[in-house]
Amino acid sequence: MSQSYDRGLVEDFGRWREFSAGMWAWIFHKFTGWVLIGYLFTHIAVLSTATVGTTAYTNTISGLESLLVVRFLEVGLLAVAVFHILNGLRLLFVDLGVGLEAQDKSFYASLVLTGAIVVASVPTFLAGAI
Amino acid sequence: MSTQVTEQEQAEAEEESTHQRRRLAEKAERQEVRDRMRERAETDLERADTVFDLKVFRYDPDIPEKEDPRFDTFPVPFTKGMTVLDALMYARDHYDSSLTFRHSCRQAVCGSDALFVNGTQHLGCKTQVVDLGDSEGVPGQIRVEPLPHQEVVKDLVVDMEHFYDQMDAVEPYFDADELPSGELEEQRQTRENREKIKMSARCIWCGACMSSCNIAAGDNEYLGPAAINKAYKFAMDDREGENRKQERLEIIEQEHGVWRCQTQFSCTEVCPKDIPLTEHIQELKREAVKNNLKFW
Ligand code: SF4
Ligand code: FES
């Protein structure tokens, strides 16, 4: 063997169309996890205005809530959180060795459930904004 | 003296030329065979009801034209029951005898022809061409590549060394603490225990699982699904005894052992022997936790 060819990692994400359910669940779980960590920081930033005073906090909140884009971001946050929770439950069962044959179905179920909850929440989140 | 030399030279030259002639004749014969096979392929193609394109990854560091990896496409006449391996052999025999791939048993036993077919790991000999198509039947094109995440040696042949190293790392052999005391010296296994490890014993070392795992791709030291499954087979074997099981658990719960698995199920998805790999890895994780959590 004089030489060999390393096809590298390039193919990995270029082949996303061929990914299976378990792989998608993993990607979504990672992604939503990072989004939640990111949110945590903005959450802390907003909450810390309360250390300045109650009015400062109220002003920040109402200022943010009056922006339409913030309302939409909140819907997105809910979607991310709900998926992360549901898939987390799915992973808990996987860790316990329960229902591993149905791991793809439970992934689809968590997607559908997330969708349903998010759609149901839209009126609450957008009320008063539009 | 001088005549002798010339005689010798002459003899050598003669020998050389006969040698040369024989070589040329052989070459011509080979060319003839090749032409004949190609002709036969043409008639095959004309007669066939269905023809599909076999698109194959080509690479050969020793040949200038193949130094840069590329794909070659061969039209293959479909015959009933044709597997991907059959199609590859057809292409090799009729179009390009240098097309290189591993195969041996042709019945999903030896594990030598795990390939990347249409973007998924498959055993060439176990994969029916029709199954790759949609409801219409035979697909128009089949793309065959070497297993990803392994170095390509030539065409579809990958370097399996690392995979074998990981397999060896879990000490994949039966190694009992003590011999049974009864007069019979056989190492009896209960039926239940046999059932438990039955699936894990089916591994044919094809490497499909390891190639599909993108944790293994990112962490070269990760034991990988096949090796962990192998460890499972022996760790769960009751006949080996407690001490040995302890040693086995230490191997699998090391930093690059079971805890690397992030339950993507890619390995379970592709294993041609339908071994529930993720399930076995998860069970070993629980064993490892139980082993370390002692509340007394
Ligand atoms: S576990 Fe399955 S996919 Fe992995 S090497 Fe063994 S037979 Fe092949
Ligand atoms: S040729 Fe032996 S497994 Fe396919």
Side-chain angles (χ1 to χ4, degrees):
Chain A
M1 206 202 320
S2 48
Q3 200 187 333
S4 61
Y5 176 59
D6 180 2
R7 298 205 295 146
L9 290 173
V10 203
E11 66 215 356
D12 273 2
F13 290 99
R15 293 183 191 280
W16 57 273
R17 254 164 299 190
E18 285 142 1
F19 285 170
S20 57
M23 187 70 178
W24 279 120
W26 179 77
I27 291 173
F28 285 173
H29 203 75
K30 288 262 137 141
F31 174 74
T32 52
W34 283 111
V35 170
L36 288 176
I37 288 182
Y39 167 69
L40 201 64
F41 287 103
T42 54
H43 186 56
I44 291 170
V46 171
L47 278 189
S48 60
T49 57
T51 57
V52 181
T54 34
T55 41
Y57 177 70
T58 315
N59 288 344
T60 321
I61 287 289
S62 55
L64 282 172
E65 291 294 320
S66 66
L67 297 172
L68 187 61
V69 59
V70 171
R71 301 292 187 110
F72 275 108
L73 283 177
E74 279 176 335
V75 177
L77 179 66
L78 182 80
V80 160
V82 170
F83 176 79
H84 201 78
I85 292 168
L86 292 177
N87 196 54
L89 286 174
R90 169 181 168 270
L91 291 180
L92 191 70
F93 282 112
V94 168
D95 280 341
L96 293 173
V98 179
L100 266 74
E101 322 73 46
Q103 57 88 12
D104 45 350
K105 290 187 206 74
S106 57
F107 165 62
Y108 298 135
S110 37
L111 276 186
V112 170
L113 213 56
T114 307
I117 292 177
V118 170
V119 168
S121 77
V122 166
T124 322
F125 275 110
L126 296 188
I130 310 173
Chain B
M1 186 78 189
S2 62
T3 48
Q4 216 177 352
V5 171
T6 28
E7 258 170 37
Q8 199 180 337
E9 266 175 9
Q10 214 168 1
E12 262 173 24
E14 241 164 61
E15 197 180 308
E16 179 108 319
S17 73
T18 42
H19 189 71
Q20 179 85 354
R21 239 179 290 137
R22 206 178 59 227
R23 264 211 342 241
L24 283 175
E26 273 172 14
K27 207 172 159 191
E29 200 178 316
R30 275 204 304 270
Q31 185 59 43
E32 212 173 285
V33 170
R34 267 205 292 274
D35 290 344
R36 229 178 19 242
M37 290 311 265
R38 201 169 256 278
E39 265 167 42
R40 193 176 299 170
E42 266 156 35
T43 43
D44 280 354
L45 289 174
E46 269 167 35
R47 286 206 201 120
D49 297 327
T50 331
V51 175
F52 63 93
D53 279 336
L54 189 69
K55 195 174 162 195
V56 191
F57 179 92
R58 306 301 302 275
Y59 167 75
D60 188 347
D62 296 332
I63 294 181
E65 311 92 76
K66 272 168 69 185
E67 244 169 8
D68 290 322
R70 62 177 155 104
F71 279 95
D72 279 353
T73 306
F74 306 105
V76 177
F78 174 75
T79 47
K80 193 159 177 271
M82 188 177 235
T83 63
V84 172
L85 181 63
D86 293 334
L88 280 170
M89 295 204 281
Y90 187 92
R92 179 196 60 196
D93 295 346
H94 292 81
Y95 300 114
D96 184 351
S97 56
S98 73
L99 177 59
T100 312
F101 46 93
R102 292 193 182 104
H103 67 90
S104 172
C105 69
R106 302 200 213 169
Q107 49 180 346
V109 170
C110 70
S112 52
D113 64 340
L115 299 162
F116 200 51
V117 183
N118 283 356
T120 320
Q121 286 76 5
H122 284 287
L123 277 187
C125 60
K126 195 179 171 251
T127 310
Q128 291 280 322
V129 166
V130 272
D131 291 345
L132 293 168
D134 43 26
S135 51
E136 308 270 293
V138 182
Q141 189 192 62
I142 295 180
R143 195 179 71 225
V144 186
E145 294 162 81
L147 287 182
H149 309 134
Q150 264 131 306
E151 305 250 311
V152 184
V153 180
K154 185 180 173 190
D155 292 347
L156 300 173
V157 175
V158 291
D159 185 3
M160 298 283 282
E161 211 50 54
H162 177 64
F163 176 75
Y164 295 148
D165 284 347
Q166 301 306 74
M167 289 301 246
D168 286 339
V170 300
E171 302 171 4
Y173 39 81
F174 183 74
D175 183 19
D177 283 341
E178 65 238 20
L179 289 173
S181 46
E183 60 189 287
L184 290 170
E185 283 195 357
E186 58 194 331
Q187 314 241 341
R188 275 182 179 260
Q189 184 173 32
T190 62
R191 276 171 196 276
E192 295 73 39
N193 194 227
R194 170 64 203 167
E195 274 307 304
K196 185 163 185 57
I197 65 164
K198 184 174 82 182
M199 290 307 276
S200 65
R202 294 171 53 164
C203 177
I204 55 173
W205 297 50
C206 69
C209 51
M210 182 83 136
S211 160
S212 77
C213 174
N214 80 339
I215 307 292
D219 174 4
N220 223 21
E221 283 175 69
Y222 175 40
L223 288 174
I228 296 178
N229 173 68
K230 198 44 73 183
Y232 177 97
K233 177 181 187 289
F234 294 105
M236 294 299 171
D237 192 323
D238 286 343
R239 298 168 297 171
E240 274 202 345
E242 268 312 305
N243 293 337
R244 191 67 181 115
K245 179 164 183 178
Q246 203 58 37
E247 286 167 28
R248 293 205 180 271
L249 283 177
E250 269 157 37
I251 297 176
I252 56 173
E253 65 181 37
Q254 46 155 318
E255 192 188 341
H256 297 278
V258 282
W259 299 111
R260 292 293 114 188
C261 169
Q262 302 194 16
T263 61
Q264 289 175 348
F265 290 91
S266 311
C267 54
T268 313
E269 211 78 34
V270 299
C271 176
K273 302 309 265 184
D274 298 325
I275 303 172
L277 293 163
T278 313
E279 199 173 318
H280 288 167
I281 298 174
Q282 293 300 82
E283 195 173 337
L284 285 180
K285 283 182 189 169
R286 292 197 296 278
E287 283 291 311
V289 172
K290 274 191 260 168
N291 194 36
N292 291 321
L293 276 187
K294 293 235 162 73
F295 295 111
W296 53 89

